[in-house]
Amino acid sequence: MAAQLQGLPAVAVLAAPLILVSSLPFDLPAEQRRRAAVAPAPCIGGERERRSASAVDDGEIRWTDKTRYDTPRKHALKVWQFSGSHVKLPPDSATTVNDLEFRDYRGGAADRAAVAQYVRDSGTAATDYVQFNVDKMSGRSRAFMNSAASHELGHALGLCHKGGRVLSLMWTDIASPPITSPQAVDKANYNTLWR
């Protein structure tokens, strides 16, 4: 059984099917062909993708790290810097404002407890958080932890949850086997939001 990333109940919503373009002009660059091949997917449960719901500030997320889950954090930062990504993810420095902090918390191990969560602070120059529930992360596979970290960084980038009719890192549950990086539909939604 997949673990919940968010403490939300499962929602039965039909998402738009993955749309593949059957013929693409061969004179387009490869990256344009890949982007044209998949349409963005709608959000579920009344969620919306908005730049204002992200940790992005001036085209970047400056981050700090106060977590024991360094390898999943590094993985998430790497996979969201794919070819054609628009938002930069550099670490915070003494001369910049911290936009996002990766940290741990004790959230319990109950079935409905979140594995990880993105916590948005909408204040001016405020720090948002990706928090890892050590009670749910302990003893998990590297792929499971990478999936949780990459999913929550997707939320920090402004992305919403996707329905099960598309292959997405942004499902509400961690897949088995875990999806550890943005899929084509995730990149399509990202590119729509950040182009």
Side-chain angles (χ1 to χ4, degrees), residues 180-194:
T180 59
S181 61
Q183 301 299 293
V185 73
D186 302 314
K187 291 177 182 180
N189 281 75
Y190 171 98
N191 285 324
T192 298
L193 187 61
W194 294 108

Side-chain angles (χ1 to χ4, degrees), residues 96-110:
T96 59
V97 175
N98 184 29
D99 301 311
L100 183 68
E101 181 179 301
F102 293 88
R103 67 180 180 181
D104 303 335
Y105 76 107
R106 303 298 303 230

Side-chain angles (χ1 to χ4, degrees), residues 12-146:
V13 175
L14 294 178
L18 183 65
I19 299 171
L20 298 176
V21 177
S22 59
S23 61
L24 295 170
F26 288 101
D27 56 339
L28 290 175
E31 181 61 29
Q32 268 187 306
R33 285 192 306 242
R34 279 193 294 279
R35 273 192 244 155
V38 177
C43 300
I44 64 169
E47 295 179 33
R48 289 184 14 209
E49 291 180 336
R50 301 181 315 265
R51 288 183 177 201
S52 62
S54 74
V56 178
D57 182 22
D58 293 328
E60 65 183 13
I61 296 178
R62 291 283 183 163
W63 57 268
T64 56
D65 175 20
K66 294 183 181 175
T67 178
R68 68 180 78 178
Y69 301 105
D70 286 333
T71 301
R73 173 194 48 81
K74 288 175 186 174
H75 171 83
L77 291 166
K78 180 180 176 184
V79 299
W80 279 108
Q81 292 295 263
F82 55 87
S83 174
S85 63
H86 305 284
V87 178
K88 302 302 177 212
L89 303 172
D92 192 29
S93 72
T95 61
T96 59
V97 175
N98 184 29
D99 301 311
L100 183 68
E101 181 179 301
F102 293 88
R103 67 180 180 181
D104 303 335
Y105 76 107
R106 303 298 303 230
D111 285 346
R112 303 307 289 169
V115 171
Q117 58 189 353
Y118 169 63
V119 179
R120 170 98 174 105
D121 185 338
S122 58
T124 303
T127 300
D128 297 346
Y129 300 94
V130 167
Q131 300 182 133
F132 300 112
N133 180 351
V134 296
D135 299 317
K136 295 286 264 196
M137 294 276 279
S138 295
R140 297 294 188 152
S141 71
R142 175 69 45 85
F144 182 95
M145 292 186 284
N146 287 349

